[in-house]
Amino acid sequence: MALSKTPTSTMSDQASEAIASALRTLEAEASGVTALAAALQADLGPTFAAAADLIRNARGRLIITGLGKSGHIGRKIAATFASTGTPAFFVHAAEASHGDLGMITADDVILALSWSGEQPEMKNLITYATRFSIGLIAMTSEAGSTLALAADVALTLPKAREACPHNLAPSTSSLMMLAMGDALAIALLEGRGFTSRDFSVLHPGGKLGALLKYTRDLMHQGDMVPLKPLGTKMSDALVEMSAKGFGCVGIVDASGHVVGIVTDGDLRRHMRADLMTVSVDDVMTKNPKTISRDLLAGEALELLNTAKITAVLVTDGKKPVGIVHLHDLLRAGVA
């Protein structure tokens, strides 16, 4: 039996409708983030700063809680805080009433997410925070809600229409909560001077972990580094370049300092009949780019791409201690 086929025109109409729907969704959600940015420049600004101060000054951790879609957003926000230097984890508001309140100490700060601010499951958590004088930050759209009124700091987000055509399914509101959580996390990251090296300690795995490795972890060392002294004939330099396989050879002076480099490009630019008999001094690129052994692999990749080179010498001071090739970064998963 032959399978029926959907007419091309119908498929085209369906595709157009899907794209139009996607654009409406993005427009609605973008308007929510725009409203949030405007609020931060007005009444929301001082409370945002107060929330950041409360989290920064906490002796314990940041406990994020929520239900439903707010709970899902809360889990992501907790992960962002934890990965950017603010100890944080998520406690489900309903589970809190069944023993998980024991995870929260008097030194902690609670960030409670609820668009309406009226979930019954939040009541026990609010009572617990009040009883033990635990700092409570509310993230809600209702300034007069039970949660907002009980909080030490209430982040009252501007109301915005959901992307859902029925204005029911949390979409714009969820994105606004996520954006506010990210804004808090990044403000704290920048405030405490959290660096890329701090970040590397918390992200040892995956592509991000590869980017945060150090040059010293990837570089070739010792006899594998192609080096020749000033005054070397190009014929000898070419042998060294070919033997080491990096497409270049570093040139050092009598003190062992890098003063130049001869690359495949230099060979092409100086190609002539007597090339093999001249000195490297006449062919080399002087004062070549070098990197430190403590440079992050991601930064090394950026340098290679920007300079349009495939290998770079690693130096300690001005003395060569290694070499890194683009292929090393590829094998490590950096690129």
Side-chain angles (χ1 to χ4, degrees), residues 44-117:
L44 186 56
T47 53
F48 178 89
D53 285 342
L54 191 57
I55 297 169
R56 183 185 300 109
N57 296 326
R59 291 179 294 175
R61 305 145 304 172
L62 175 62
I63 310 300
I64 301 177
T65 187
L67 291 152
K69 301 299 185 295
S70 296
H72 293 306
I73 295 300
R75 289 181 187 277
K76 190 276 176 187
I77 293 174
T80 299
F81 270 106
S83 69
T84 54
T86 300
F89 67 88
F90 178 80
V91 173
H92 194 280
E95 295 295 337
S97 298
H98 297 276
D100 284 1
L101 283 173
M103 297 179 179
I104 308 172
T105 74
D107 290 334
D108 298 332
V109 170
I110 298 171
L111 172 59
L113 281 60
S114 172
W115 193 249
S116 70

Side-chain angles (χ1 to χ4, degrees), residues 132-318:
F132 292 101
S133 299
I134 300 171
L136 176 61
I137 302 168
M139 189 185 296
T140 179
S141 67
E142 298 291 344
S145 64
T146 301
L147 177 61
L149 293 175
D152 297 291
V153 178
L155 294 169
T156 306
L157 309 188
K159 291 183 174 63
R161 183 176 177 81
E162 302 290 5
C164 164
H166 310 298
N167 196 31
L168 294 174
S171 45
T172 306
S173 58
S174 297
L175 182 61
M176 291 170 70
M177 284 185 162
L178 179 60
M180 178 57 73
D182 285 345
L184 274 171
I186 300 306
L188 287 162
L189 175 155
E190 293 180 344
R192 63 167 54 91
F194 191 81
T195 68
S196 57
R197 284 178 169 77
D198 297 321
F199 205 76
S200 68
V201 174
L202 304 177
H203 296 78
K207 172 69 177 291
L208 190 54
L211 285 167
L212 295 170
K213 287 181 182 294
Y214 291 100
T215 301
R216 61 175 178 265
D217 301 322
L218 304 175
M219 70 182 187
H220 302 269
Q221 305 177 63
D223 292 339
M224 300 185 70
V225 184
L227 295 172
K228 282 295 180 179
L230 284 170
T232 299
K233 287 186 178 181
M234 278 299 301
S235 57
D236 293 333
L238 184 58
V239 170
E240 177 77 354
M241 185 187 301
S242 300
K244 301 299 171 64
F246 292 103
C248 64
V249 55
I251 308 302
V252 295
D253 61 15
S255 300
H257 296 165
V258 174
V259 293
I261 192 168
V262 177
T263 67
D264 291 332
D266 291 318
L267 293 178
R268 290 190 294 272
R269 284 187 290 273
H270 292 83
M271 186 62 66
R272 59 181 192 260
D274 64 341
L275 177 62
M276 293 299 102
T277 62
V278 301
S279 165
V280 293
D281 306 43
D282 300 324
V283 178
M284 71 181 187
T285 298
K286 296 179 180 180
N287 302 314
K289 293 182 181 299
T290 62
I291 59 175
S292 163
R293 69 173 82 203
D294 295 324
L295 190 71
L296 290 174
E299 296 172 325
L301 176 63
E302 183 178 356
L303 183 146
L304 290 175
N305 286 332
T306 301
K308 297 181 179 179
I309 56 178
T310 57
V312 62
L313 290 168
V314 182
T315 58
D316 183 0
K318 293 184 178 181

Side-chain angles (χ1 to χ4, degrees), residues 3-74:
L3 296 175
S4 61
K5 294 184 179 179
T6 304
T8 303
S9 60
T10 303
M11 288 294 293
S12 178
D13 290 343
Q14 289 176 343
S16 297
E17 290 173 4
I19 293 170
S21 174
L23 290 171
R24 287 194 297 272
T25 297
L26 293 175
E27 184 178 355
E29 295 190 343
S31 68
V33 175
T34 299
L36 190 59
L40 273 170
Q41 297 177 65
D43 295 343
L44 186 56
T47 53
F48 178 89
D53 285 342
L54 191 57
I55 297 169
R56 183 185 300 109
N57 296 326
R59 291 179 294 175
R61 305 145 304 172
L62 175 62
I63 310 300
I64 301 177
T65 187
L67 291 152
K69 301 299 185 295
S70 296
H72 293 306
I73 295 300

